[in-house]
Amino acid sequence: MSNMMRDSQIMAQTKDENLGYMSDMALELAQMADDSGLTTLAYLFRMAALEASTADSVLAEPDELPQQMTSH
């Protein structure tokens, strides 16, 4: 049982790192697009970065849910 828990923690951590990386990359690409005068492309990359960072914070929350449910 603890082995499965550890594996899922490692997977969640990897997912967090990947999303953080995606967010950073999208922001860099947005900056490059801005510098080239491609404002629409820059906007799309910023939206992608926002999606990645939002997904990142949503993934971090489920850990707190079971404690709230058992306390009632």
Side-chain angles (χ1 to χ4, degrees), residues 12-45:
Q13 191 178 350
T14 304
K15 200 177 243 183
D16 284 350
E17 286 168 13
N18 287 344
L19 284 166
Y21 175 74
M22 281 167 50
S23 181
D24 292 345
M25 279 304 294
L27 285 173
E28 280 183 38
L29 289 167
Q31 187 58 56
M32 286 161 67
D34 256 348
D35 294 344
S36 307
L38 304 169
T39 47
T40 306
L41 195 58
Y43 173 77
L44 290 175
F45 280 128

Side-chain angles (χ1 to χ4, degrees), residues 32-67:
M32 286 161 67
D34 256 348
D35 294 344
S36 307
L38 304 169
T39 47
T40 306
L41 195 58
Y43 173 77
L44 290 175
F45 280 128
R46 286 208 173 82
M47 288 294 106
L50 188 64
E51 284 291 321
S53 62
T54 303
D56 201 1
S57 62
V58 168
L59 280 175
E61 283 170 21
D63 287 348
E64 297 163 14
L65 288 178
Q67 290 151 6

